Amino acid sequence: MAHVVIPVGPQHPALKEPVNFRVVADGEKIVRLEIDLSYNHRGIEKAAESRDFIRVLPLLERVCGICSHSHATCFAKGIEELMQLEIPQRAQYIRTIVAELERMHSHLLWLGVAAHEIGFNTLFMWTWRDRETVQDILEEISGNRVNYNMNEIGGVRCDISPEQAGSILKRLPLLEERIGEYVKMAKSQRTMLMRFCGVGKLSRAEILRYGAVGPTARASGVDYDARRDDPYLIYNTIPWNVVTDEDGDVFGRTKVRIGELRESLGMVRYCLENLPGGPIRVQAPKTAPSGGEILSRYEAPRGELVHFIRTNGTDKVERLDIRTPTLANWTSVAAALVDQNLADIPVIVAAIDPCLSCTSRLVVADRKSGKTGNISWNELRNGVCRIRPGSNRI
Amino acid sequence: MNKKLTLEEVTGKLGRFGTVEQARFNRIRVSMEPDTIRDAIIAAQGDLACERLLAISTADNTETLELIYHLIGPHRTVISLATRLPSHLPKIRTISDILPPAGIYERQIHDLFGITFDGHPGLNRLMLNEDWPEGEYPLRKDWKPEPGRFYGGIREDRS
C-alpha cells in the first residue's frame, strides 16, 4: 500500500499549545513523523535580553503555564549563582515546596489527559478533581493557581505562615489516599492495561540514543534526574528517591509519574514539617557580573530543563538560551511512533506530556490519487481512519 | 552513579582539541576550533562515556557566533565543548548523525541564528512561521524588524 501523509495539527483545544505533525503512514502503521513547532514562537529569549532581572522573572513564568515555577527557579538560581548570593534556607524550602506541588499538579493533569486520550473519562474527572486540591494549596501559598510568581532574585516573594502550613498538612492525607488509589488502578484497571502496555515502547538504548528526558527516560530505566545529579535547592538534604521503571512503554511512564506523585507528596510534607525559620530573601545586587556564564539545570515535571545564561555586567542578561524538556523529547516520540498504530498517536504523543498541542483537525492525503479529506480527532482516537473526499491537493 | 570527572581526566582525553577549564564543580568547558568539534564529540562519547547531549547553546558575540555543545554521561559531569564561527559565514558540520537529538536543536539554531549545519538531513524551519522572510535571524544581536516588512500572520489591508 502507498504511503499516506497525515498532517496532524496545528490546533487542538484539549492540549495547551499548537504543533503540526506530518505523519507518514503505510496503512494503519506509522512510517515516519515530521514536526513543525512554528506556531508558538513568541520571542521570549529575545525579549529577555531587554528586561532587567526583576521584569524577566514574570516573563519567564509565561514560557509555560504548567511549569512556570520551573522556568523562574531555573533562571533565578542561575543568576544567583553568578552573583554568588547565599539564599536563605527558608526560601530554599519554600521554593522546593512550590516546585514539588507544581510537579504534583502537572503529573495529575497528565494522568487525566492520558486517561482522556484512551477514552477513560472517569479517571480524567477523578485526577482533575484531585488536582484541584493541589491548585488550592498553590493558590493559598502564592495567590495564584498558575504563574505563582514566587521567585525573586535573592529568595521568594511570600512566606508560608504556620497556620497555612498546618492547613496544607491537613489536606495531604486525602491526596495520599487518592494517589494510593491510582497506584492500585494502574496495576489492575483493564482499560489502562490494554491501552498502555506495550504502546510506544522505547528501550534503554533508544532513550539514550534519542536523548529523551524526564519520566519518559526514567520509565526505560535511564535514571537521570537533575535533582539528584546536579543538586540544587535542598534536594540533597531531604529524603526522596528517583523513581524508575523498566517497562519503557506508556504504562511504564504512567507508573513513573504516579511514583513521582508519591515522592513529591513526601517531600512537600517533609519540607512543611521541617520548615526552618529566618528570612525569606536577601537583598540582591542590581547587576550581574560581566562575562558570567552558567548552564542552569532543573528537573521540571516533564524532564530536565536547561537555561544557558550569559551576563554582561548590567541588570539584563546578555543571552538566555532555553532548552525545554519537550524539545528534547520530540526525537524520541518520532522514534517511538515508528511501526505503531495510527490510533496510538494521541496516547504516545501525550505520554511525553508535550507542552504543545495536537489537533482536532486532520487532513488525510492519498498520494496516489492526490485526494485529501478530513478526519476528526475522535475518529483517530477510535482507530478509524478513512479518506473522505476533499478538494485540496498536497 | 559513577564518580564525577576531574579536570585531569578530561584534559587527558580532550586536551589535544583545545583549552580545558573547570567552570564549576561539575562543569568542564573545552574551547576549540570549529573543525575539531566533531572529533572531540566522538572522543567524548568513546573515552569519557558521554552518552547524552543536554543542549546546544548559542550566543552572538557580534563578530562571532558561539556554539556550545553540552554533553553528559553516567559520571554526571557536564562537558561543554565550545567553538566560535564567523558571523558573516557561520557554517559547521552537523553532528546529528552521531548524536540524533542534535538534529532538532540544529534546526532551531539554523532558524534563529542562521548557522548552516552541513550534512543535516532536513534543515527545515522549526520555530519561525512559514511566511517569515528568508535571511532574517531574529536572535542575532544586530537584528531589528524592518518597518513595513511583512513578518507573517495576517496582512494588513493598506488600501
Side-chain angles (χ1 to χ4, degrees):
Chain A
M1 196 177 163
H3 287 180
V4 173
V5 184
I6 308 173
V8 181
Q11 302 296 341
H12 186 255
L15 290 170
K16 278 96 37 190
E17 287 166 273
V19 62
N20 190 18
F21 298 129
R22 286 166 57 80
V23 184
V24 181
D26 185 353
E28 284 290 311
K29 296 282 179 201
I30 298 159
V31 179
R32 196 173 68 245
L33 175 78
E34 290 162 12
I35 299 165
D36 180 2
L37 307 171
S38 70
Y39 303 90
N40 221 4
H41 185 74
R42 290 160 291 164
I44 285 186
E45 290 179 7
K46 185 85 175 172
E49 288 173 10
S50 59
R51 281 168 169 77
D52 61 33
F53 301 138
I54 297 167
R55 283 187 220 151
V56 91
L57 282 174
L59 174 75
L60 291 179
E61 293 231 315
R62 278 141 187 91
V63 170
C64 167
I66 303 294
C67 43
S68 60
H69 186 71
S70 306
H71 283 279
T73 312
C74 189
F75 178 79
K77 81 181 176 68
I79 287 286
E80 284 157 2
E81 195 178 320
L82 287 175
M83 289 173 170
Q84 295 176 325
L85 272 183
E86 194 70 48
I87 306 306
Q89 273 294 306
R90 193 176 173 86
Q92 303 275 39
Y93 269 72
I94 294 174
R95 277 182 186 176
T96 310
I97 291 168
V98 177
E100 291 310 315
L101 283 169
E102 181 178 77
R103 193 179 317 277
M104 284 172 76
H105 103 67
S106 176
H107 283 355
L108 282 169
L109 179 137
W110 176 83
L111 195 56
V113 171
H116 178 65
E117 299 301 355
I118 58 166
F120 187 10
N121 280 335
T122 312
L123 181 62
F124 164 62
M125 294 291 173
W126 282 355
T127 50
W128 281 47
R129 179 195 62 194
D130 297 338
R131 178 172 169 265
E132 280 306 300
T133 315
V134 185
Q135 300 284 85
D136 287 347
I137 296 173
L138 283 166
E139 189 179 353
E140 239 166 69
I141 296 175
S142 69
N144 294 322
R145 284 165 55 87
V146 287
N147 296 344
Y148 328 107
N149 205 10
M150 281 300 281
N151 283 297
E152 273 182 22
I153 306 292
V156 288
R157 178 176 58 88
C158 58
D159 205 355
I160 297 179
S161 69
E163 294 78 41
Q164 274 177 329
S167 113
I168 296 166
L169 281 169
K170 265 191 223 144
R171 275 181 279 176
L172 294 182
L174 173 75
L175 268 174
E176 198 167 26
E177 189 198 316
R178 296 299 307 162
I179 294 166
E181 193 68 30
Y182 298 137
V183 174
K184 258 194 270 166
M185 277 179 80
K187 282 190 189 137
S188 56
Q189 223 289 333
R190 224 172 131 245
T191 315
M192 286 169 85
L193 291 174
M194 282 173 69
R195 286 300 301 274
F196 287 165
C197 286
V199 175
K201 208 172 165 76
L202 283 169
S203 67
R204 191 176 185 279
E206 282 171 316
I207 289 284
L208 288 173
R209 182 166 166 74
Y210 299 120
V213 294
T216 314
R218 289 193 285 276
S220 299
V222 179
D223 69 334
Y224 277 76
D225 191 319
R227 289 175 290 175
R228 182 200 57 199
D229 302 342
D230 204 341
Y232 56 92
L233 299 181
I234 49 160
Y235 287 113
N236 54 355
T237 61
I238 58 174
W240 68 283
N241 297 307
V242 175
V243 183
T244 56
D245 199 86
E246 297 299 325
D247 280 4
D249 48 10
V250 179
F251 185 54
R253 287 163 218 164
T254 313
K255 284 190 284 179
V256 166
R257 288 202 174 88
I258 297 177
E260 287 190 359
L261 276 174
R262 259 193 174 159
E263 291 296 326
S264 295
L265 188 110
M267 279 190 260
V268 171
R269 176 175 286 149
Y270 179 90
C271 289
L272 284 168
E273 283 170 350
N274 297 284
L275 199 60
I280 55 164
R281 60 177 163 260
V282 289
Q283 181 70 43
K286 268 217 171 75
T287 59
S290 177
E293 178 185 300
I294 193 161
L295 184 80
S296 184
R297 299 169 65 199
Y298 182 101
E299 192 67 28
R302 297 178 171 85
E304 186 171 340
L305 165 72
V306 181
H307 280 205
F308 172 81
I309 307 166
R310 253 204 200 166
T311 54
N312 54 7
T314 67
D315 58 352
K316 301 181 183 79
V317 289
E318 169 77 13
R319 167 84 174 120
L320 171 64
D321 191 332
I322 304 172
R323 199 277 283 142
T324 58
T326 305
L327 188 68
N329 275 334
W330 282 131
T331 316
S332 77
V333 172
L337 277 170
V338 172
D339 218 25
Q340 296 283 325
N341 280 318
L342 274 179
D344 287 327
I345 295 176
V347 74
I348 294 174
V349 170
I352 66 154
D353 195 2
C355 207
L356 285 156
S357 88
C358 293
T359 186
S360 56
R361 177 188 58 83
L362 300 169
V363 181
V364 186
D366 188 334
R367 267 191 181 162
K368 243 183 185 166
S369 63
K371 268 187 195 158
T372 61
N374 293 321
I375 64 169
S376 73
W377 188 251
N378 268 332
E379 282 174 319
L380 182 68
R381 195 179 281 142
N382 297 331
V384 187
C385 174
R386 55 173 181 272
I387 297 174
R388 281 200 228 110
S391 55
N392 297 335
R393 188 181 272 268
I394 290 183
Chain B
M1 202 165 69
N2 302 5
K3 224 173 98 271
K4 298 262 181 251
L5 283 181
T6 60
L7 185 64
E8 289 70 44
E9 282 173 276
V10 180
T11 314
K13 303 288 184 195
L14 299 179
R16 64 181 191 275
F17 295 107
T19 352
V20 186
E21 55 184 325
Q22 184 103 35
R24 189 172 166 259
F25 76 93
N26 57 355
R27 307 264 201 280
I28 292 172
R29 188 188 156 102
V30 193
S31 315
M32 60 186 75
E33 290 300 314
D35 46 359
T36 52
I37 277 280
R38 198 182 157 85
D39 295 333
I41 288 171
I42 293 169
Q45 280 179 312
D47 302 339
L48 297 171
C50 287
E51 51 190 6
R52 286 164 79 88
L53 176 70
L54 262 188
I56 306 178
S57 306
T58 345
D60 183 358
N61 305 326
T62 325
E63 266 117 59
T64 54
L65 291 173
E66 202 163 340
L67 275 180
I68 305 152
Y69 299 78
H70 305 282
L71 302 167
I72 195 169
H75 41 71
R76 305 298 198 261
T77 310
V78 181
I79 310 282
S80 304
L81 307 173
T83 191
R84 281 159 193 252
L85 306 171
S87 289
H88 61 274
L89 197 67
K91 224 176 195 194
I92 193 164
R93 213 167 145 208
T94 180
I95 57 153
S96 60
D97 50 337
I98 48 174
L99 270 169
I104 199 163
Y105 301 148
E106 288 180 346
R107 275 176 69 187
Q108 178 185 3
I109 294 166
H110 174 251
D111 232 8
L112 302 174
F113 282 93
I115 297 176
T116 314
F117 293 90
D118 281 340
H120 190 290
L123 211 53
N124 306 325
R125 277 237 159 117
L126 181 75
M127 291 287 165
L128 297 175
N129 41 295
E130 55 196 10
D131 37 10
W132 184 270
E134 288 292 326
E136 294 221 13
Y137 306 112
L139 275 176
R140 288 215 188 172
K141 288 277 177 199
D142 57 3
W143 179 83
K144 278 198 178 58
E146 218 169 277
R149 183 171 273 195
F150 180 64
Y151 284 97
I154 299 164
R155 258 180 220 278
E156 278 173 43
D157 193 6
R158 291 174 187 279
S159 56

